[in-house]
Amino acid sequence: MTIFQIKRTLEIMLLKSHLIIASSFVLGGGLLREIAIARTFGISKELDIYVALSSIYLFLGTQIPTSIETSIISKHANMKETEIEDVILSSISFLTWCYIFIGIIIILFGKNIFKLLFNFKEETDIAIKILVFMIPSALFLANSVIIRSLLFIKDRQFIGIIIPGVISVSAAVSISMLGKFIGIYALPLGTLIGGIVSFFATYRKEIRSNRIKFFNLFLSHPRGFMALASAAVIIILGECVFQVGYTAERSIGSRLPQGSLSTYYYSLALLNVFLTVIISPNNVYLFPKIAKWYNNKERLFYRIRRIIIALFFIGCVSSVTIANFGHYILQIFLERGKFGSEETTLTFSALQILCYALPIMCCARTVSYTHLTLPTN
């Protein structure tokens, strides 16, 4: 083995160790958040409201920016760093103005929209207050995710991966310290603080043009709409279709007995723990390299096919594990405070059904994100 091969092997091992550490941090942060939520709120009407509204946070904070992120990686991986930064700053500019507009709409018409979509007629004030935290939280998270595309292009995945972990830890701390005093509002408040920290950390570290005054940023890059439209409009339209179904799912859930959405939330949270462990390190490592492999399609699809087969097998093993031992997992991690044995039994009933979707979820996300990341030229 040559010195170059030894050096390359050591670099790969170091990268994988960083991915393991980062994924472990995200996993640990997510568990801390769920433990704090279960202990403080249990299965309650207030958590039902938050879960119903979380579809908005997911759409604005994750789905839209992830669409832009994957498009930037596929279209601009071979551009100069300063050109990529310009696209990123343009996207940040456009998203910021869009989210400000959405915030104004919610302030003016939020109560009517909430009553129309969800069956929480007497809790509209709680919902609007939660949304006041959610919209800026989604904005800061979205901009962090967009900046993260530059990190992935530069093979600096560690900081990009830990963003969800930072937000989870912030939410867990907020709930633990303030949950008894301000109730459910501690959850979106902690998420907002984590989003702010993530955005400014990634912005100052990765954007070379950070000499631009922050408040002038949104006026200095007027081409945001064109950059966004050219990179991600088709993907975002697809996400909008998904969002319709996602919101309808929670709308129906709001009409079920109290605690139904909370039970569903805890079940999905446990599944997402497995998804984080199984697919996140793989996806982060794989996607930035797809554009480089694209000229050799046989090699590209051979690797992807092998990865999908492996993920499906791991997903099947995980499903069987959850179906048989999920009750004990819930007891160990969540059964404390307001989350008692009855809540554990209810959550496990839902989990026994949902767990069999895990193999398909593993493969579907990898196939979907891989397709979105492929160059379109």
Side-chain angles (χ1 to χ4, degrees):
M1 181 178 289
T2 65
I3 295 178
F4 175 79
Q5 290 174 323
I6 295 174
K7 180 181 177 182
R8 181 58 181 164
T9 301
L10 291 174
E11 288 176 350
I12 294 174
M13 291 175 64
L14 182 62
L15 174 61
K16 290 184 177 180
S17 67
H18 285 172
L19 293 179
I20 293 172
I21 293 172
S23 298
S24 299
F25 175 75
V26 173
L27 175 61
L31 284 174
L32 286 176
R33 182 192 61 202
E34 306 312 331
I35 290 171
I37 292 173
R39 181 184 60 197
T40 307
F41 305 117
I43 292 178
S44 61
K45 191 65 168 287
E46 290 75 16
L47 185 58
D48 283 350
I49 296 171
Y50 180 85
V51 174
L53 295 174
S54 64
S55 59
I56 298 174
Y57 178 76
L58 176 67
F59 181 62
L60 297 178
T62 303
Q63 291 172 250
I64 288 181
T66 300
S67 301
I68 299 172
E69 177 190 35
T70 53
S71 296
I72 289 174
I73 290 174
S74 64
K75 287 180 174 291
H76 304 293
N78 297 320
M79 293 175 60
K80 295 180 180 178
E81 186 175 321
T82 53
E83 294 175 323
I84 299 172
E85 289 177 5
D86 187 64
V87 172
I88 290 173
L89 291 172
S90 298
S91 300
I92 291 175
S93 172
F94 180 75
L95 277 186
T96 300
W97 288 113
C98 283
Y99 286 18
I100 289 174
F101 175 75
I102 292 171
I104 293 172
I105 294 296
I106 287 175
I107 291 173
L108 295 176
F109 307 106
K111 288 187 177 181
N112 294 329
I113 296 173
F114 182 76
K115 289 180 180 179
L116 178 65
L117 292 177
F118 305 109
N119 190 34
F120 299 117
K121 304 302 182 184
E122 299 177 358
E123 291 82 9
T124 53
D125 290 336
I126 297 176
I128 297 303
K129 290 177 182 178
I130 291 175
L131 286 172
V132 167
F133 291 105
M134 272 191 175
I135 300 303
S137 299
L139 171 62
F140 284 108
L141 175 58
N143 289 336
S144 300
V145 171
I146 292 173
I147 297 174
R148 186 175 67 180
S149 61
L150 180 60
L151 289 166
F152 290 168
I153 290 171
K154 295 163 64 176
D155 283 334
R156 298 176 61 180
Q157 293 95 340
F158 182 82
I159 298 176
I161 294 177
I162 67 172
I163 288 175
V166 171
I167 295 174
S168 295
V169 170
S170 176
V173 172
S174 177
I175 294 169
S176 299
M177 295 179 63
L178 302 174
K180 293 182 180 179
F181 304 102
I182 62 176
I184 193 64
Y185 307 119
L187 176 52
L189 175 61
T191 303
L192 173 59
I193 295 171
I196 293 173
V197 171
S198 298
F199 171 71
F200 281 103
T202 53
Y203 177 78
R204 289 189 59 82
K205 187 171 184 63
E206 293 305 323
I207 303 296
R208 293 183 181 275
S209 54
N210 60 10
R211 295 187 182 90
I212 299 173
K213 292 182 179 179
F214 178 75
F215 291 104
N216 291 335
L217 169 64
F218 310 124
L219 300 177
S220 302
H221 297 268
R223 298 185 294 106
F225 176 76
M226 293 306 298
L228 178 64
S230 62
V233 65
I234 300 299
I235 305 172
I236 291 175
L237 288 175
E239 295 290 357
C240 288
V241 174
F242 171 82
Q243 181 63 19
V244 170
Y246 198 79
T247 302
E249 176 184 271
R250 276 150 177 74
S251 178
I252 295 171
S254 69
R255 289 160 172 79
L256 297 176
Q258 178 178 322
S260 297
L261 284 176
S262 300
T263 302
Y264 182 64
Y265 167 80
Y266 290 120
S267 301
L268 281 182
L270 186 57
L271 290 186
N272 283 326
V273 167
F274 280 83
L275 283 174
T276 299
V277 173
I278 295 171
I279 69 173
S280 290
N282 168 72
N283 289 350
V284 171
Y285 179 75
L286 176 66
F287 296 155
K289 300 184 179 300
I290 289 177
K292 300 177 183 178
W293 294 342
Y294 187 66
N295 291 331
N296 189 343
K297 292 186 177 63
E298 183 177 348
R299 178 189 180 196
L300 169 65
F301 291 110
Y302 172 73
R303 291 193 175 192
I304 293 175
R305 185 166 58 249
R306 290 185 63 185
I307 289 171
I308 290 174
I309 293 172
L311 288 176
F312 184 81
F313 175 75
I314 296 172
C316 289
V317 174
S318 300
S319 295
V320 174
T321 301
I322 293 173
N324 288 277
F325 303 103
H327 192 275
Y328 302 106
I329 296 174
L330 290 171
Q331 283 182 325
I332 293 171
F333 290 107
L334 298 184
E335 193 172 305
R336 53 180 49 82
K338 292 186 177 180
F339 196 96
S341 58
E342 183 179 349
E343 286 77 8
T344 298
T345 302
L346 288 172
T347 303
F348 182 60
S349 298
L351 189 60
Q352 283 182 304
I353 299 173
L354 290 172
C355 69
Y356 292 107
L358 192 58
I360 303 301
M361 292 169 71
C362 292
C363 298
R365 289 194 185 186
T366 300
V367 171
S368 174
Y369 290 162
T370 300
H371 177 72
L372 295 179
T373 312
L374 288 174
T376 55
N377 53 352

